[in-house]
Amino acid sequence: MKHNFGAGPCILPKEVFEEASKAVLDFNGSGLSILEISHRSKDFEAVVVETERLVRELLNVPQGYSILFLQGGASQQFAMVPMNLLPEGGKAAYLDTGVWASKAAKEAKKLGQVDIVASSSDQNYTYIPKDYSIPADAAYFHFTSNNTIYGTEVFETPKANIPVVVDMSSDILSRTINVADYDLIYAGAQKNMGPAGVTLVIIKDELFGKSGRTIPTIFEYEPHAKAGSMYNTPPVFSIYVSMLNLRWLKNKGGVEVIEQENIIKARTLYEEIDRNPFFKGTAAVEDRSRMNITFVMENPDHEAEFLELAKERGLVGIKGHRSVGGFRASVYNALTITSINALVDAMREFEEKHN
Ligand SMILES: Cc1ncc(COP(=O)(O)O)c(C=O)c1O
């Protein structure tokens, strides 16, 4: 058995893989594959409608927000956000909590002024800055709620009197949120929503056309919203598999239920990291992510040996990002406590062998 701790694309529930593979051969008993049907077919329109309904229901999305399924990944959103929200000569505020946050800011800089309100780069992004003020004259404030590479997470939504934009790529659907606290939420699907290829955008309709810029239509939010994510050919298969995954989450009891499981999973692993003298966590304790758990070994010379042991135990994808080193266990919704226990067992086995 493999335990997939990959950071994304990542584990999805087995049931979802099984359903998806059936649909590749015969979608809804139509005699056609999901890969060959028209995106304008009634059957696929029903898929988009249900996927949107499930997002709305699972995240409690209020009226006045549109839900879009776009291509281009979260990285395309780094550019679309300023194109759509930052007026010519305007300013945007960004919180710098890592590589993804600074990549987002870099795109905004191409279109206007960027005010970095705070940064944790001084300590290799191992914490979330807390004391900063958000300029009231900025067009919007952007932050990353979960820093996939460093294993830090923002649990308290920053309060601002300007539109708040969040990159939730790696923690969306893992915990309850109040969508009304945000004006625009985006997330590449390939962690907790579905496979790579589709990007979720939840946007307050008031923001449409806000920058006043003339931008290529494909990068404008409003035409996608008006067309129900069918402005052009959408990523049919990725949306379909996302729908299956959202159904799975709903059947489990929804985000509230998975959040409790995620709390237990993360706690179990952090407890072992803190207890086991061979390992130590890298993120500030109060900012520890529930989705990406980063840790190193007290003796870096032990890391290759532990990685080998992990491989033997079927633990896949735990090598840390090159900018942090050590290990990173991504423990997304579909990863079960059984996999966490397998990793904890390997850590204990290593300890026993070396004591
Ligand atoms: C928080 C965060 N933002 C953005 C990205 C980039 O996403 P994409 O590859 O979909 O452009 C990632 C990728 O892992 C991420 O974790």
Side-chain angles (χ1 to χ4, degrees), residues 7-9 72-78 99-101 103 144-149 167-171 186-191 196-199 292 328 332:
S75 300
Q76 182 167 303
Q77 294 310 306
F78 297 166
V99 164
W100 300 119
K103 280 194 170 169
T144 313
S145 56
N146 185 70
N147 298 283
T148 324
I149 295 174
D167 174 0
M168 275 198 188
S169 293
S170 48
D171 64 349
Y186 65 88
Q190 64 272 21
K191 278 76 150 118
V198 61
T199 309
N292 309 98
R328 169 177 54 177
Y332 297 121

Side-chain angles (χ1 to χ4, degrees), residues 59-299:
L59 290 175
N60 253 314
V61 180
Q63 289 301 309
Y65 285 80
S66 293
I67 294 169
L68 314 178
F69 303 112
L70 306 180
Q71 306 201 39
S75 300
Q76 182 167 303
Q77 294 310 306
F78 297 166
M80 276 178 77
V81 165
M83 281 184 201
N84 286 267
L85 306 188
L86 183 57
E88 297 275 355
K91 176 169 88 176
Y94 279 72
L95 180 64
D96 176 26
T97 53
V99 164
W100 300 119
S102 52
K103 280 194 170 169
K106 200 171 151 203
E107 294 306 299
K109 265 187 204 141
K110 293 179 180 168
L111 295 167
Q113 197 189 322
V114 168
D115 196 342
I116 304 290
V117 298
S119 171
S120 47
S121 66
D122 58 337
Q123 290 182 42
N124 197 28
Y125 298 118
T126 48
Y127 70 101
I128 302 288
K130 312 270 179 342
D131 294 323
Y132 55 86
S133 56
I134 298 169
D137 60 343
Y140 62 88
F141 170 65
H142 177 284
F143 76 104
T144 313
S145 56
N146 185 70
N147 298 283
T148 324
I149 295 174
Y150 313 90
T152 61
E153 190 166 3
V154 178
F155 292 103
E156 207 167 306
T157 312
K159 294 272 173 286
N161 295 322
I162 55 174
V164 174
V165 177
V166 62
D167 174 0
M168 275 198 188
S169 293
S170 48
D171 64 349
I172 195 138
L173 296 158
S174 72
R175 60 185 171 95
T176 52
I177 53 165
N178 180 18
V179 173
D181 289 345
Y182 310 91
D183 297 80
L184 195 160
I185 299 170
Y186 65 88
Q190 64 272 21
K191 278 76 150 118
N192 279 327
M193 193 173 96
V198 61
T199 309
L200 173 69
V201 174
I202 303 174
I203 179 173
K204 209 180 218 175
D205 297 344
E206 283 168 22
L207 296 188
F208 292 147
K210 199 82 176 163
S211 74
R213 292 177 192 262
T214 303
I215 48 179
T217 316
I218 190 81
F219 298 131
E220 247 185 291
Y221 289 118
E222 194 170 8
H224 289 286
K226 280 199 168 138
S229 296
M230 294 275 200
Y231 168 73
N232 66 326
T233 314
V236 170
F237 189 61
S238 301
I239 294 175
Y240 175 70
V241 181
S242 298
M243 180 196 77
L244 297 178
N245 190 48
L246 293 166
R247 274 187 191 164
W248 169 85
L249 181 54
K250 187 182 165 179
N251 287 339
K252 260 188 99 68
V255 177
E256 292 81 359
V257 170
I258 208 83
E259 178 171 23
Q260 292 314 310
E261 286 187 17
N262 288 334
I263 289 171
I264 293 167
K265 274 155 46 187
R267 192 193 300 142
T268 306
L269 185 49
Y270 282 122
E271 274 173 7
E272 179 61 17
I273 290 168
D274 292 342
R275 186 208 62 79
N276 192 317
F278 287 85
F279 297 88
K280 62 176 176 198
T282 57
V285 172
E286 70 275 17
D287 300 324
R288 281 175 164 180
S289 166
R290 283 185 204 143
M291 291 289 104
N292 309 98
I293 298 179
T294 48
F295 55 101
V296 293
M297 295 191 82
E298 287 290 352
N299 176 357

Side-chain angles (χ1 to χ4, degrees), residues 330-349:
S330 297
V331 297
Y332 297 121
N333 286 354
L335 189 101
T336 63
I337 189 80
T338 308
S339 295
I340 302 277
N341 290 337
L343 175 53
V344 167
D345 287 348
M347 292 164 78
R348 290 188 182 155
E349 191 180 329

